[in-house]
Amino acid sequence: EAQVTQNPRYLITVTGKKLTVTCSQNMNHEYMSWYRQDPGLGLRQIYYSMNVEVTDKGDVPEGYKVSRKEKRNFPLILESPSPNQTSLYFCASSLSGTSGSIFYNEQFFGPGTRLTVL
Amino acid sequence: AQSVSQHNHHVILSEAASLELGCNYSYGGTVNLFWYVQYPGQHLQLLLKYFSGDPLVKGIKGFEAEFIKSKFSFNLRKPSVQWSDTAEYFCAVNANYGGSQGNLIFGKGTKLSVKP
């Protein structure tokens, strides 16, 4: 089954304790991305990756790191989590590309990781 | 910077009523446009998308949206809602030009509650 998986699904941690949320897709997608969802703010993009070894900042990258060493995985790293990073995190992937002058990018989302930082 | 505005925070309708959710974006260039739906406790699912061509786009579950370039709008419509349409709806935009194609901007969402 084609899917995006995230682990863990739920995590409670304390301030300053490094953590990693994994994201994996089995669709051979080039593009992957991380978002956080907060009430009243919608989804905001943290980082994205257009391909292996290529990552770019989204709108709210502060306090986060990512890496894209292989196509299927795109882990999100919080080196020193703080309470304002308590949120619902979604990973997404897409088979992006260009057809003529049109760039297409239809994203498929993972199930989400609910993170609480105390 | 790009931004996406969804006009209604919470819409309450009775079953069989017609639905229109507004979405406006601020970007003057070529864009890709999306509507996603999030059912309670679930992840986002794509309802429909616009990349090019016919500005009236049909999606899943009877939803459609119309891209009006002159108004920078991409409103979502459904002629007759059902209780099962109760969910949160997100409009999203990404610029179709080099360097920022991967930066997908979401609106803040509109909660739809359908009364049986």
Side-chain angles (χ1 to χ4, degrees):
Chain A
E1 181 189 353
Q3 59 183 349
V4 179
T5 57
Q6 296 178 227
N7 281 294
R9 296 288 313 281
Y10 301 90
L11 179 60
I12 301 174
T13 189
V14 295
T15 299
K17 185 176 181 181
K18 181 179 178 180
L19 68 91
T20 299
V21 183
T22 65
C23 174
S24 182
Q25 50 94 4
N26 62 1
M27 295 171 277
N28 201 35
H29 285 169
E30 292 178 345
Y31 175 98
M32 297 185 76
S33 183
W34 275 104
Y35 299 87
R36 59 178 289 173
Q37 184 179 19
D38 302 288
L41 296 177
L43 278 87
R44 293 177 292 168
Q45 193 169 40
I46 303 171
Y47 270 95
Y48 63 94
S49 170
M50 301 286 279
N51 213 328
V52 176
E53 302 290 2
V54 180
T55 62
D56 281 293
K57 294 178 180 179
D59 296 309
V60 288
E62 294 77 21
Y64 303 94
K65 284 175 59 177
V66 292
S67 69
R68 188 88 182 276
K69 291 183 169 47
E70 50 190 340
K71 206 172 193 178
R72 63 181 293 127
N73 296 322
F74 191 44
L76 179 69
I77 303 155
L78 284 72
E79 295 271 5
S80 182
S82 61
N84 64 13
Q85 292 177 297
T86 292
S87 188
L88 179 59
Y89 291 85
F90 288 101
C91 180
S93 74
S94 84
L95 185 65
S96 63
T98 303
S99 174
S101 61
I102 304 299
F103 172 76
Y104 55 92
N105 182 356
E106 176 183 334
Q107 299 192 29
F108 297 88
F109 284 80
T113 295
R114 188 166 291 281
L115 172 65
T116 302
V117 183
L118 302 174
Chain B
Q2 298 171 60
S3 66
V4 177
S5 298
Q6 292 185 237
H7 312 302
N8 309 99
H9 177 63
H10 192 184
V11 173
I12 302 173
L13 295 173
S14 297
E15 274 195 315
S18 64
L19 169 72
E20 181 160 2
L21 301 182
C23 173
N24 286 88
Y25 64 93
S26 66
Y27 178 66
T30 307
V31 294
N32 296 331
L33 298 153
F34 308 85
W35 275 98
Y36 283 88
V37 60
Q38 186 177 33
Y39 297 103
Q42 296 189 26
H43 61 92
L44 275 78
Q45 300 172 42
L46 183 69
L47 269 181
L48 47 79
K49 60 186 182 285
Y50 173 81
F51 292 147
S52 66
D54 188 344
L56 184 60
V57 179
K58 294 196 183 300
I60 60 171
K61 305 187 181 189
F63 286 91
E64 65 178 31
E66 185 175 13
F67 170 48
I68 303 179
K69 191 174 181 179
S70 61
K71 294 185 178 180
F72 299 92
S73 70
F74 191 55
N75 292 354
L76 181 71
R77 300 194 292 247
K78 186 171 185 179
S80 176
V81 295
Q82 301 171 312
W83 177 79
S84 58
D85 293 324
T86 295
E88 190 159 16
Y89 293 80
F90 294 93
C91 181
V93 173
N94 79 283
N96 190 4
Y97 71 96
S100 293
Q101 293 140 325
N103 190 204
L104 186 63
I105 309 295
F106 280 83
K108 294 184 179 180
T110 298
K111 285 187 180 169
L112 172 65
S113 299
V114 180
K115 298 183 292 184

